[in-house]
């Protein structure tokens, strides 16, 4: 591929490998690392738009401010979810006022909490309603709007192409498709071939998503779907640099090497500090635990049960950092040996 880029409305992205939104994971500190390593786009965690506007409590307000935060140079993409025009429109406006360059509508979330209110992937069961919501958001949004969806609700209703066509007609500028149905949740394998039907149905860029974890799977997903780009979610856990690496290799460039040894220690400890800063110490220590675990898993480290337990229960961040450094130092020594 010869220096491929993506155009979303008037916004040109520096490549075609994007970080997928993951609630509770792709927060500002995580997105900053993915961006620093060369991801072409990063998306904020989903914001339920009723929460955005309906008199949030103090802690909800802090959470919203944190979710809307943007520091990087890449376009700021804010994802909204909801099922009522009024909240979605206000959510889109608040996101745009907070500096969003693109508003993404979530039509892929399988969670019962979200789908019971006919939001997230449940909207795919009611295309007319989905269209009405999309039209209202596009009309109200001063910035380009994209939609993220699944293949359909279940195998009997693979209607992503139909909904993408409606969305394009309403003015949506990009569509991302997770190659699973809602009924699958995250089980089974993602299917990339059916995404091709969506690619053929619309002229706006379509992004393929699901089980893409490296250059090889990105190439396979692109070949099967003919999509314009790829979106990587869980594959970036414990290795937020992977999106940038895939982006570089798809451009025919040499990817920045994954950090190892002292570089990895510095990155993990810096990420830890950023999480403590973003969430406050008490919550930050808790939020950080899953990331630490993923870093060790991605590095192929099997920690003794006792060490892992200590890492995942220790409330004092200073002690956690010492433990992390010790474990990674030891690992670095083993790698060098
Ligand atoms: C913990 C978690 C949280 C997620 N949160 C969101 C979200 O807020 N919005 C969204 O559109 N998709 C969300 N997703 C779905 C991912 O964006 C992606 O579509 C899915 O994980 C498949 O891609 P992957 O195989 O690369 O992970 C989430 C997925 C996970 C695992």
């Amino acid at each position: 591929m010869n220096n491929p880029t993506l155009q979303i409305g008037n916004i040109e992205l520096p490549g075609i490998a994007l970080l997928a939104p993951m609630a509770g994971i792709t927060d500002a500190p995580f997105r900053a690392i993915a961006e620093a390593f060369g991801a072409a786009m990063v998306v904020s965690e989903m914001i339920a738009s009723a929460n955005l506007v309906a008199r949030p409590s103090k802690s909800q307000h802090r959470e919203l401010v944190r979710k809307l935060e943007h520091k990087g140079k890449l376009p700021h993409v804010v994802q909204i979810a909801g099922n009522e025009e009024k909240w979605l429109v206000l959510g889109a406006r608040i996101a745009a006022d907070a500096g969003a360059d693109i508003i993404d509508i979530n039509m892929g979330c399988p969670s019962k909490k979200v789908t019971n209110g006919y939001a997230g992937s449940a909207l795919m069961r009611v295309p007319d309603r989905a269209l009405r919501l999309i039209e209202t958001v596009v009309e109200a949004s001063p910035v380009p709007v994209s939609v993220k969806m699944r293949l359909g609700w279940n195998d009997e209703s693979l209607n992503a192409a139909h909904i993408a066509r409606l969305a394009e007609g309403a003015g949506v500028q990009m569509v991302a498709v997770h190659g699973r149905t809602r009924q699958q949740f995250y089980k089974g394998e993602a299917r990339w071939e059916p995404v091709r039907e969506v690619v053929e149905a619309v002229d706006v860029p379509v992004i393929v998503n699901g089980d893409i974890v490296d250059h090889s799977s990105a190439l396979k997903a692109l070949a099967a779907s003919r999509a314009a780009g790829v979106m990587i979610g869980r594959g970036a856990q414990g290795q937020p640099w992977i999106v940038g690496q895939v982006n570089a290799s798809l451009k025919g460039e040499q990817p920045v090497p994954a950090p190892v040894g002292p570089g990895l220690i510095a990155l993990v400890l810096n990420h830890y500090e950023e999480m403590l800063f973003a969430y406050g110490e008490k919550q930050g220590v808790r939020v950080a635990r899953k990331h630490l675990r993923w870093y060790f898993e991605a590095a192929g480290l099997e920690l003794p049960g006792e060490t892992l337990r200590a890492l995942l229960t220790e409330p004092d961040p200073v002690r956690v950092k010492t433990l992390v450094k010790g474990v990674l130092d030891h690992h670095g020594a083993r790698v060098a040996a």
Side-chain angles (χ1 to χ4, degrees):
M1 252 176 259
N2 211 353
N3 204 14
T5 56
L6 263 176
Q7 185 87 25
I8 306 174
N10 56 352
I11 296 170
E12 193 176 0
L13 301 181
I16 62 167
L18 326 177
L19 175 67
M22 288 185 288
I25 299 169
T26 54
D27 52 16
F30 191 90
R31 297 198 300 274
I33 304 176
E35 173 166 354
F37 277 87
M41 191 178 95
V42 297
V43 185
S44 75
E45 303 165 272
M46 167 182 75
I47 288 162
S49 55
N51 279 353
L52 252 185
V53 292
R55 292 182 182 228
S57 66
K58 235 181 179 176
S59 72
Q60 280 174 326
H61 181 73
R62 268 201 305 275
E63 184 186 331
L64 284 173
V65 169
R66 190 176 47 68
K67 283 188 170 173
L68 286 167
E69 188 193 347
H70 179 61
K71 284 189 190 143
K73 291 201 179 78
L74 285 174
H76 183 28
V77 189
V78 174
Q79 190 184 59
I80 56 174
N83 65 347
E84 280 185 61
E85 274 104 328
K86 144 171 112 165
W87 298 130
L88 274 169
V89 163
L90 277 171
R93 288 208 184 114
I94 288 174
D97 284 348
D101 300 299
I102 296 169
I103 308 270
D104 186 57
I105 304 175
N106 180 326
M107 281 179 31
C109 183
S111 152
K112 283 226 171 74
K113 222 166 90 186
V114 173
T115 54
N116 277 351
Y118 269 122
S121 58
L123 281 172
M124 298 193 76
R125 301 179 91 178
V126 278
D128 289 351
R129 184 168 178 77
L131 175 61
R132 257 203 327 278
L133 291 177
I134 293 169
E135 279 173 344
T136 347
V137 171
V138 171
E139 207 171 296
S141 171
V143 297
V145 176
S146 58
V147 174
K148 182 161 175 287
M149 61 175 83
R150 288 187 171 229
L151 292 175
W153 180 259
N154 57 25
D155 274 347
E156 286 67 55
S157 59
L158 298 177
N159 61 353
H162 173 58
I163 296 200
R165 215 177 291 119
L166 295 177
E168 181 180 50
V172 157
Q173 310 268 15
M174 184 187 88
V175 174
V177 186
H178 174 187
R180 284 187 177 84
T181 61
R182 188 289 183 168
Q183 207 168 57
Q184 275 183 277
F185 280 82
Y186 293 94
K187 294 197 196 91
E189 282 179 8
R191 286 171 288 164
W192 301 319
E193 293 83 1
V195 178
R196 188 158 165 188
E197 207 189 312
V198 185
V199 173
E200 285 164 0
V202 293
D203 290 327
V204 294
V206 175
I207 308 300
V208 62
N209 166 244
D211 296 351
I212 299 166
V213 293
D214 54 16
H215 178 66
S216 154
S217 47
L219 280 183
K220 282 187 198 142
L222 287 172
S225 64
R226 306 264 171 99
V230 297
M231 199 174 241
I232 300 177
R234 290 162 299 169
Q237 292 169 354
Q239 41 178 10
W241 47 84
I242 198 77
V243 188
Q245 288 185 321
V246 170
N247 196 38
S249 59
L250 290 176
K251 288 201 254 182
E253 293 169 4
Q254 192 63 30
V256 178
V260 288
L264 180 60
I265 295 175
L267 183 142
V268 173
L269 292 182
N270 188 48
H271 187 184
Y272 193 74
E273 287 295 342
E274 291 293 334
M275 286 185 277
L276 296 183
F277 183 73
Y279 291 91
E281 189 170 298
K282 201 165 160 211
Q283 196 189 348
V285 167
R286 286 202 300 268
V287 169
R289 285 174 181 154
K290 58 181 179 285
H291 290 280
L292 295 178
R293 194 177 190 151
W294 288 327
Y295 278 123
F296 296 137
E297 279 170 12
L301 271 173
E302 271 185 41
L303 300 192
E306 214 177 295
T307 316
L308 189 62
R309 247 190 322 280
L311 263 171
L312 301 184
T313 52
E314 175 57 60
D316 177 1
V318 177
R319 284 209 206 112
V320 174
K321 281 187 282 182
T322 310
L323 266 169
V324 168
K325 192 168 176 317
V327 168
L328 290 175
D329 259 340
H330 179 66
H331 175 60
R334 276 200 298 145
V335 169

